[in-house]
Amino acid sequence: MTIHDEAGAVRPLTLAWVGQHLDIGERVVKTEALHGGITAEMRRLTIGTRDGGTRDLVLRTFVNVEHAENWLNRESGALTLLTGTDVPAPGLVAVDPTAAHCEYPSLLMTHLAGRTVLDDEGLETRVALLARQLVAIHALRPAERPPGYVAWTTADTVVTPKGADAAAWAAAIDVIRKPAPPYEGRFLHRDFHPGNVLFDVTPPSPAGPWITGVVDWAATSWGPADLDVAHCSTNLALLHGTAWGLRFAEAYEEAGGVLAAAASERLYWQVLDGLAFSGDVQLIAQPWREAGRTELTTRAVEERLDTYVTALMDTLG
């Protein structure tokens, strides 16, 4: 009998599909909802093995999501590419991007050890690890490039937060009215941030924490390294304060990464990503509160975003 909590229950057709991709004699013995995702339902499946042991898989399901097929195709392609590389990522078990077999488009993958860490303590060490990991991702040279990046906002769709520095935001919006700067394309995660990186932090060891996995490859794209760096920078600014958002680009270069040579070009990508958060603050902040950062209310995150965007514009002098 499968044991599950109500939130973790797997739909019948999907459960049957999972069963088709298990080894002979294996079965799902427990399901558990995983929290932290925004666009997809995530479940950990405990698989009973023939020798009486267990192993874990992760089921990712997109329910009523417009771009599910595209995202699952990108993710399955990325997980296949990453097999055997220095980038720790889940292994692909099976994918049903069009819901030909499942109730909804789904992907089954291996489970990675570790957990996300969103606390301020130990952040300096983790920022360096994040930077090194992102440099390794950008060093990948796939035989077939993923689709080109898509900007997540435009000058005409930015939502300026209530009480924000109107002059700074107007100047920032003007920055992204200009054409995108030229860039050398790189393999991008496109949603790289602390919530998509797993760490081993316990028990404390002299070597310190290390990264055990990078997850959520559904937005994999081809584009400028600056865009991935900018996205992680914005997340760090909202989670830990503006200084950390500004610090990440330096950490990336210290780890061997190469960014746009001109400050104006770097600013374009930083602002493009920062402004993209303005309409989704409530959606973004909720998983952080669920993870224990209860002080990160929607209003608190809006204020941090305003501070960060204003700081970016101050770099223009």
Side-chain angles (χ1 to χ4, degrees):
M1 177 179 295
T2 300
I3 303 171
H4 58 76
D5 55 53
E6 185 175 350
V10 179
R11 297 170 182 88
L13 290 178
T14 304
L15 187 61
W17 174 76
V18 169
Q20 294 171 9
H21 297 283
L22 302 179
D23 293 337
I24 295 174
E26 291 188 331
R27 62 192 180 93
V28 178
V29 297
K30 182 180 179 182
T31 67
E32 175 189 0
L34 300 176
H35 301 287
I38 294 177
T39 57
E41 295 178 355
M42 303 292 293
R43 296 176 175 86
R44 179 164 60 190
L45 311 182
T46 301
I47 310 301
T49 59
R50 285 181 296 178
D51 61 4
T54 61
R55 65 186 181 101
D56 289 335
L57 298 176
V58 173
L59 176 67
R60 180 177 174 91
T61 301
F62 287 96
V63 178
N64 298 327
V65 176
E66 181 181 358
H67 302 291
E69 180 179 356
N70 175 37
W71 287 347
L72 286 180
N73 281 331
R74 290 193 192 208
E75 183 155 34
S76 60
L79 296 185
T80 300
L81 166 69
L82 293 166
T83 301
T85 71
D86 292 334
V87 178
L92 177 66
V93 177
V95 63
D96 182 14
T98 62
H101 308 283
C102 305
E103 284 86 352
Y104 297 100
S106 301
L107 183 144
L108 188 65
M109 58 190 140
T110 59
H111 176 267
L112 298 177
R115 62 180 180 88
T116 57
V117 183
L118 305 182
D119 302 331
D120 289 336
E121 184 179 356
L123 183 58
E124 184 172 359
T125 298
R126 295 199 310 277
V127 163
L129 293 174
L130 288 168
R132 274 187 299 223
Q133 186 62 78
L134 192 53
V135 169
I137 291 171
H138 293 164
L140 295 171
R141 296 293 180 266
E144 183 176 346
R145 293 180 180 178
Y149 80 91
V150 174
W152 291 339
T153 194
T154 68
D156 296 324
T157 58
V158 173
V159 179
T160 302
K162 183 179 179 180
D165 185 325
W169 279 72
I173 291 170
D174 283 343
V175 167
I176 65 170
R177 287 191 190 280
K178 302 171 185 176
Y183 61 86
E184 183 177 355
R186 289 284 184 269
F187 180 82
L188 305 183
H189 181 283
R190 194 62 179 99
D191 196 18
F192 185 86
H193 61 81
N196 281 332
V197 179
L198 306 178
F199 286 88
D200 187 317
V201 293
T202 55
S205 69
W210 67 90
I211 291 175
T212 60
V214 181
V215 299
D216 194 353
W217 295 86
T220 302
S221 307
W222 188 260
D226 284 80
L227 194 52
D228 260 358
V229 172
H231 190 61
C232 192
S233 296
T234 306
N235 277 273
L236 288 169
L238 301 188
L239 278 165
H240 307 292
T242 289
W244 289 107
L246 299 176
R247 164 76 182 120
F248 186 68
E250 297 175 359
Y252 179 81
E253 290 186 302
E254 290 166 2
V258 178
L259 295 173
S264 60
E265 294 177 353
R266 296 188 185 197
L267 181 65
Y268 177 91
W269 301 112
Q270 290 170 318
V271 169
L272 181 67
D273 187 81
L275 296 183
F277 278 67
S278 63
D280 294 320
V281 169
Q282 182 176 356
L283 192 65
I284 292 163
Q286 182 177 343
W288 293 345
R289 291 195 297 273
E290 292 174 352
R293 296 295 303 275
T294 55
E295 80 281 11
L296 294 179
T297 63
T298 298
R299 184 60 189 147
V301 175
E302 284 180 340
E303 291 173 350
R304 287 191 175 193
L305 179 60
D306 178 37
T307 301
Y308 178 59
V309 170
T310 301
L312 290 176
M313 299 315 300
D314 284 345
T315 63
L316 290 177

